Amino acid sequence: MKLVHKDIEKDNAGQVTLIPEEAEDMWHTYNLLQVGDSLRASTIRKVQTESSTGSVGSSRVRTTLTLCVETIDFDSQACQLRVKGTNIQENQYVKMGAYHTIELELNRKFTLAKKAWDSVVLDRIEQACDPAQKADVAAVVMQEGLANLVLVTPAMTLVRAKVEVTIPRKRKGSCAQHDKALERFYEAVMQGILRHFSFDVVKCVLVASPGFVKDQFISYLFKEAVRQDCKILLENRSKFMVVHSSSGHKYSLKEVLCDPAVTARLSDTKASGEVKALEDFYKMLQQEPDRAFYGLAHVERASEALAVDILMISDKLFRHQDIATRSRYVRLVDNVKENGGNVRVESAEWSGGHPEVPHR
């Protein structure tokens, strides 16, 4: 995310202009937007025109609209963000008060205005615009005929590609069709890795599956890399790690990241912080239950007693439509920070999974 302009007054009202540069930035934008905000962005509008002869035609024009946000719709698979609201600025194509839906686009700037910018939202902008916050862990979670290619960032898990190939069963006396389909599947996964994983950034690629699929795929991958003289794979061979998963679906990534061998391997990556913080909390809950709390009321009391060392809180709580409830969560975060505690805002789109407001 690129910050173009920031203008926030002493009373915390103001606006920022941002340019989303990659798919994950749409997730950050989704967490910035709230009902009642003002959003100004470029969009396409279907306009009806009437000629001098009285015939009516329609055309699509690009225009810039300012909406009062009413509905926010985020597609986590496609990383698409649609914002619906009423037009609040005069426009030659759209009447005041008319409804419109803006689909925010990559590399097109938008301006977001709020009556009150709180600390959580401002921290989100800082995180989104930090070039160090990139996906340095990639994963291929697969089973025979299905593979999910995923990037794991500190904010979310992002499915970059899903490969599906029908694999015929082995027939008695003939495995040719099965083997050909399997080879097609492995080739598609290999091309997906080359297309979607940037080895300049990625420090580790996890290849996970039930059974022997992962081992067979790794064997195929590097045989093909040698045959095709694919230097990018050969030079980064040490980054690949084979691990077990119960299936090839995205949710299996949670169990993969909790594997102690994987945790050790990922110790120098940004994604490892999500896993370790949660593991430490559960360990404390078992061994020293008097020091581990969860649930808003209990955590608030611990914060008032200046007893919070680490607060883990889900970002979905800050999307609460009730302003008073949302302000309560923001106050909790601010109090913990002011008293020297650490705050980890955990993503609801991250595969780690966690209770809503644990602390230790």
Side-chain angles (χ1 to χ4, degrees), residues 8-28:
I8 297 173
E9 305 293 335
K10 288 182 180 177
D11 63 354
N12 290 330
Q15 62 183 35
V16 296
T17 301
L18 299 160
I19 300 176
E21 295 177 311
E22 53 189 56
E24 190 191 346
D25 292 339
M26 291 302 178
W27 171 250
H28 288 301

Side-chain angles (χ1 to χ4, degrees), residues 262-306:
V262 174
T263 307
R265 176 70 179 268
L266 301 186
S267 60
D268 65 337
T269 66
K270 303 178 193 78
S272 65
E274 298 268 356
V275 180
K276 191 173 187 310
L278 191 64
E279 278 187 351
D280 289 348
F281 173 76
Y282 283 133
K283 197 179 291 180
M284 187 173 285
L285 196 59
Q286 287 178 335
Q287 297 173 358
E288 300 176 86
D290 292 342
R291 291 183 59 202
F293 292 86
Y294 55 90
L296 181 57
H298 288 120
V299 175
E300 279 181 326
R301 284 201 287 275
S303 176
E304 287 163 11
L306 312 184

Side-chain angles (χ1 to χ4, degrees), residues 90-234:
E90 285 288 350
N91 183 281
Q92 68 180 103
Y93 301 112
V94 186
K95 293 176 183 177
M96 288 278 286
Y99 277 94
H100 185 78
T101 300
I102 292 177
E103 183 172 323
L104 292 177
E105 301 173 64
L106 291 179
N107 300 311
R108 282 194 185 273
K109 71 178 181 180
F110 66 87
T111 299
L112 179 63
K114 289 177 179 286
K115 291 175 183 174
W117 289 85
D118 58 51
S119 60
V120 171
V121 178
L122 293 172
D123 285 348
R124 170 70 70 168
I125 292 176
E126 199 172 305
Q127 180 190 352
C129 296
D130 180 1
Q133 299 284 342
K134 300 293 181 184
D136 56 358
V137 177
V140 181
V141 188
M142 63 195 309
Q143 62 190 45
E144 209 167 84
L146 171 67
N148 283 284
L149 278 65
V150 182
L151 291 176
V152 184
T153 78
M156 69 184 296
T157 52
L158 191 62
V159 177
R160 300 300 294 151
K162 187 175 183 179
V163 179
E164 290 182 284
V165 174
T166 303
I167 311 289
R169 290 184 180 182
K170 291 182 180 179
R171 295 183 180 276
K172 195 173 181 180
S174 175
C175 298
Q177 283 188 317
H178 174 273
D179 293 347
K180 280 182 183 177
L182 205 55
E183 193 168 314
R184 263 198 329 273
F185 170 59
Y186 290 157
E187 173 63 22
V189 177
M190 176 181 173
Q191 293 306 318
I193 289 172
L194 293 171
R195 189 177 303 116
H196 296 291
F197 294 169
S198 171
F199 286 96
D200 293 335
V201 179
V202 169
K203 293 180 180 177
C204 179
V205 181
L206 303 171
V207 180
S209 80
F212 298 104
V213 176
K214 56 189 181 297
D215 307 286
Q216 291 166 356
F217 171 68
I218 284 291
S219 174
Y220 171 88
L221 182 69
F222 289 108
K223 275 182 185 174
E224 279 299 297
V226 171
R227 189 180 70 80
Q228 298 177 20
D229 193 25
C230 182
K231 290 180 180 176
I232 192 164
L233 286 176
L234 296 173

